[in-house]
Amino acid sequence: MSLKPTLDDLIGVEFTRLGFYKELQQKIAELEVSNFELARRQRHIQAILDGISDVMVVLSLDFQIVSVNHEFEKVFGVAAPEGKFCYEVFRHTHYPCSPCPVVCAREDNQICRHLSIYPVAGENRHFETTASPLRNPDGKPSLILMLMRDVTMEKELQAKYYQSQQMATIGMLAAGVAHEINNPLTAISGFAEGLKRRLPKIQRKIDEALADDFSEYLGIILKECKRCQEIVQSLLTFGRQTAFEASSVDLNALVKDTLKLLHNQLKHQRKDLVRVAVDEALPRIRGDESQLKQVILNLLFNAFDATCEKGVIIVRTYEQNQDWVVISVEDSGCGIPRDHLDKLFEPFFTTKPVGKGVGIGLSTCYNIVNKHGGEILVESEEGKGAAFIVRLPRENRDGDIQSDSHTGGR
């Protein structure tokens, strides 16, 4: 039996090969079309991602950065962050944040939102953070997608609006108080002045000791009337929202004037509750006196709440590095928890019970100090008290602030 292929066999093989090649060409053409479509979709998705102004970060379940979008480097200034831990990049620490939206998304397997404050280029920026689990086919998280939107401006505007509403109310109340109190004060002061003028004429007709008593009492009345008028004027200044008006300010005198406002509150406390240590040779600064007084008041109120009448509050002023004038308010109270330190200047953040505070005091202090070209810092350890340090640029000989220290920072 012959095994040689016939002509028909050879022709059949060639037709088979020809069909295979045609089918292969068709598959290649389909793959090229598919690859073109995939490339087009990829460019489309990339264009969408590039159009998102929020920071996007993909994280592993153990907090390592897998990938980021182009906004990441613009905002945080960190090139090639892949492989680093997120808390090293965002917080410059060696441990995860608390509370952490990534942990929430990983453990609960659901979208978690959180408002966080991160240091960016020397400033604390507010970010609305959304952590979403990227699930595997089993429905379990394999990666975490984190979107971070900068809401610093919104928070500051919200706080300023709330403050303006509150200050407007205080201003109206202060104006009414001034009108109702100043009238009887004027009458009391006027009659006391009249009695003081007539006192020499009647001293010869009454007992000398009695005349001395009358003179002493009239002096006290006039002194207290003047102090009440100063308090009313201070309330008016405190509640009135005006444009920034810079003038030469003696910070030591400002501290003393501010403590006078708290005289009534302090007289019911221990005599050594508030201690003052000022540098008598302190240089002057340029600033808005009423706004700086508001900063000192807010810091003192916080110190009162922290000490609960049991600790000590120390107000210091001193010069630093020949460029800065510093006022610090230190207390030996309860201190501030570590996880609260980054939130202290966040508008509406407060640890006080409902009705005791709304959380705009420190954010207002920050805005005022920043407007003066200065910075406000906090040093604290839970259970060991806290110190709020306000650094302001000193006034130079020309009556302006030092140009090389007008940098401000959060």
Side-chain angles (χ1 to χ4, degrees):
M1 182 176 179
S2 176
L3 298 177
K4 291 183 179 181
T6 63
L7 180 61
D8 291 338
D9 292 335
L10 294 174
I11 293 174
V13 170
E14 291 301 321
F15 271 107
T16 302
R17 289 179 177 175
L18 183 61
F20 172 76
Y21 289 140
K22 287 184 177 180
E23 185 178 351
L24 182 61
Q25 288 178 340
Q26 184 178 355
K27 290 294 183 182
I28 291 173
E30 291 175 357
L31 287 174
E32 288 177 347
V33 172
S34 178
N35 285 338
F36 178 79
E37 182 63 21
L38 285 174
R40 187 188 67 81
R41 290 184 180 181
Q42 186 176 10
R43 289 194 299 271
H44 180 67
I45 293 172
Q46 189 63 45
I48 293 175
L49 294 177
D50 290 341
I52 296 175
S53 59
D54 296 344
V55 173
M56 298 179 64
V57 185
V58 177
L59 299 169
S60 66
L61 299 183
D62 61 351
F63 309 105
Q64 280 191 314
I65 297 176
V66 177
S67 62
V68 298
N69 68 340
H70 69 289
E71 284 294 320
F72 182 92
E73 185 174 353
K74 288 183 181 179
V75 174
F76 291 98
V78 179
E82 291 81 2
K84 297 180 182 178
F85 291 101
C86 59
Y87 47 80
E88 293 177 340
V89 175
F90 297 144
R91 302 282 192 187
H92 309 296
T93 62
H94 302 290
Y95 47 83
C97 312
S98 178
C100 177
V102 176
V103 173
C104 174
R106 182 187 65 188
E107 301 298 331
D108 299 340
N109 196 12
Q110 63 181 8
I111 297 174
C112 294
R113 292 180 175 86
H114 189 262
L115 188 64
S116 307
I117 299 179
Y118 298 109
V120 178
E123 294 186 359
N124 286 334
R125 307 293 296 178
H126 301 257
F127 287 90
E128 190 177 71
T129 305
T130 302
S132 305
L134 302 178
R135 301 178 179 90
N136 57 26
D138 296 332
K140 297 180 179 180
S142 59
L143 297 169
I144 302 295
L145 173 64
M146 192 161 68
L147 296 176
M148 305 169 65
R149 185 167 66 92
D150 191 336
V151 294
T152 305
M153 185 65 71
E154 297 174 22
K155 282 290 179 181
E156 289 179 352
L157 290 175
Q158 188 179 16
K160 287 178 181 178
Y161 172 76
Y162 189 93
Q163 182 200 10
S164 65
Q165 294 294 102
Q166 185 187 51
M167 291 298 103
T169 303
I170 293 176
M172 292 175 62
L173 178 62
V177 168
H179 177 73
E180 295 298 330
I181 292 181
N182 273 340
N183 286 342
L185 276 178
T186 302
I188 294 171
S189 179
F191 282 113
E193 288 284 359
L195 289 173
K196 187 176 181 180
R197 287 195 301 269
R198 289 169 174 78
L199 188 59
K201 297 180 181 180
I202 63 173
Q203 279 181 335
R204 295 185 299 271
K205 299 179 182 180
I206 62 176
D207 182 69
E208 183 178 354
L210 185 60
D212 291 341
D213 288 343
F214 271 108
S215 178
E216 180 184 357
Y217 295 160
L218 287 172
I220 293 173
I221 291 172
L222 290 170
K223 178 182 176 183
E224 293 303 314
C225 283
K226 182 179 180 182
R227 191 172 69 84
C228 288
Q229 290 168 346
E230 289 175 353
I231 291 173
V232 170
Q233 184 58 44
S234 297
L235 283 173
L236 285 169
T237 303
F238 178 73
R240 190 184 303 121
Q241 292 297 292
T242 59
F244 182 83
E245 297 179 358
S247 60
S248 183
V249 177
D250 181 348
L251 203 57
N252 289 341
L254 193 66
V255 169
K256 294 173 184 176
D257 289 344
T258 305
L259 289 174
K260 286 180 183 178
L261 284 174
L262 302 174
H263 174 77
N264 186 62
Q265 183 173 348
L266 291 174
K267 72 180 182 181
H268 300 294
Q269 310 290 346
R270 299 190 333 268
K271 290 185 178 181
D272 63 341
L273 174 62
V274 179
R275 302 174 185 175
V276 180
V278 298
D279 180 0
E280 297 297 341
L282 193 72
R284 300 176 74 89
I285 64 170
R286 285 197 66 79
D288 189 306
E289 187 171 325
S290 63
Q291 292 189 8
L292 291 173
K293 189 178 292 185
Q294 185 177 349
V295 171
I296 300 173
L297 277 173
N298 280 333
L299 296 181
L300 284 172
F301 284 142
N302 281 345
F304 288 145
D305 292 338
T307 55
C308 298
E309 304 179 4
K310 296 180 181 179
V312 175
I313 299 170
I314 303 176
V315 183
R316 305 180 193 272
T317 63
Y318 55 93
E319 185 180 6
Q320 187 178 67
N321 299 331
Q322 298 183 343
D323 290 328
W324 299 95
V325 175
V326 180
I327 175 172
S328 69
V329 178
E330 307 165 17
D331 68 74
S332 58
C334 57
I336 303 168
R338 185 180 66 183
D339 56 338
H340 288 172
L341 289 175
D342 288 335
K343 305 176 185 178
L344 286 179
F345 302 107
E346 176 183 346
F348 304 108
F349 173 79
T350 181
T351 57
K352 298 178 183 178
V354 176
K356 294 292 185 180
V358 294
I360 67 167
L362 288 178
S363 65
T364 300
C365 289
Y366 168 76
N367 288 330
I368 292 174
V369 173
N370 193 50
K371 192 185 298 182
H372 282 75
E375 60 183 3
I376 180 168
L377 310 171
V378 58
E379 298 174 356
S380 179
E381 186 175 344
E382 192 169 6
K384 296 185 178 180
F388 285 87
I389 302 164
V390 177
R391 303 202 314 162
L392 298 165
R394 60 170 290 179
E395 183 181 56
N396 61 25
R397 294 179 180 178
D398 298 327
D400 297 322
I401 62 174
Q402 295 279 23
S403 59
D404 58 342
S405 60
H406 192 143
T407 53
R410 192 179 294 247

